[in-house]
Amino acid sequence: MGLFDFFGSKKSPVEKHAGRVADRRAQAPDRWDSIQALGALKSPEAVQALLARFTIYADPSITDQEEKDETFRLIVETGAPAIDPVVAFLRRSESLGWPLKLLDRLVPAERVVTELLAVLETMDTEYQRDPTRKVQVLQTLEDRRDVRIAPAVARFLEDVNETARFHAIAALFAQEDPSPARAAAQKALSREDSVRGRTRLLEAFAERGWDVGEGRAAIEKTLPAGWSLDKAGVPRKKG
């Protein structure tokens, strides 16, 4: 037993491999061995260390992809102990790609929506220098069906960022029942200044037979070419 071992400073299995997994300058075989070693532990701490592999890029690209695919496989195989670390990673990650793919394999669809909405709840509609993460969440919700989504995305119909507004519209009207956000959508239609956003709202209103609400006079002045409102205030596309 060495002096450092005697005083209890020996590294744990996770500590031994964690740094190497996230080191782009490490030799690929060594990094691979550490990925395998951590995957074999099947513990929350090991998963947390493995998740760091998704935060770096290592040359060459084929090696990078192989290592990330293997890391993904090992985390999924870990099962329940991986859930909390993956949720934490989703909440702090700049990109939703890998954590969302992992969560989709680890928990039911309802839980995935719960976590996405939890992330969305931390966001506001004010100016951001980089709204990419918010846009990613809204865009992801377009492919989900859940009664909680419509009311959750409604406030983003008034977002400062046009792309965020557009994906909020798409997420809202992708739901089987967007009616909980009908009043917010009517308000948004009277204020939306982008052509694609206004057109998407008009299409959704026309499809569902919704009238445009109290803002009819203002909306009629800004209708895109080929659109009109019927007597009830429901958008109609000509031709």
Side-chain angles (χ1 to χ4, degrees), residues 1 3 13-14 27 45 56 89-90 96 104 114 133 142 152-153 156 164 170 198 208 220 226:
M1 179 182 292
L3 178 62
V14 172
Q27 294 295 312
E45 296 77 16
I56 67 164
F89 187 52
L90 175 75
L96 298 182
D104 271 327
T114 295
R133 193 161 180 264
E142 295 176 37
V153 303
F156 294 94
R198 194 160 59 246
R208 289 164 181 80
E220 283 188 303

Side-chain angles (χ1 to χ4, degrees), residues 163-205:
T163 302
R165 293 198 307 273
F166 181 80
H167 287 295
I169 293 167
L172 170 62
F173 289 106
Q175 304 311 306
E176 293 179 4
D177 181 16
S179 58
R182 181 171 178 171
Q186 288 172 326
K187 183 179 178 182
L189 182 57
S190 68
R191 295 185 176 184
E192 181 57 51
D193 57 6
S194 76
V195 174
R196 68 170 181 165
R198 194 160 59 246
T199 301
R200 182 68 184 87
L201 283 165
L202 289 168
E203 289 171 345
F205 275 50

Side-chain angles (χ1 to χ4, degrees), residues 96-97 100 104 112 116 134-145 149 167 171:
L96 298 182
L100 187 59
D104 271 327
V112 178
L116 286 169
K134 175 168 59 180
V135 169
Q136 284 184 347
V137 176
L138 291 167
Q139 192 171 15
T140 300
L141 290 172
E142 295 176 37
D143 299 322
R144 311 280 163 160
R145 304 294 177 265
I149 293 176
H167 287 295

Side-chain angles (χ1 to χ4, degrees), residues 68-89:
K68 286 175 178 172
D69 287 343
E70 180 67 359
T71 301
F72 178 88
R73 184 186 71 81
L74 290 169
I75 292 174
V76 170
E77 282 189 355
T78 299
I83 295 173
D84 286 347
V86 170
V87 167
F89 187 52

Side-chain angles (χ1 to χ4, degrees), residues 16 18-20 42 44 48-49 55 69 80 87 99 108 113 134 148 155 171 209 220:
K16 178 180 178 181
R20 189 182 296 160
K42 299 191 182 305
Q48 184 176 351
T55 66
D69 287 343
V87 167
V113 172
K134 175 168 59 180
R148 297 169 292 171
R155 65 190 178 98
E220 283 188 303

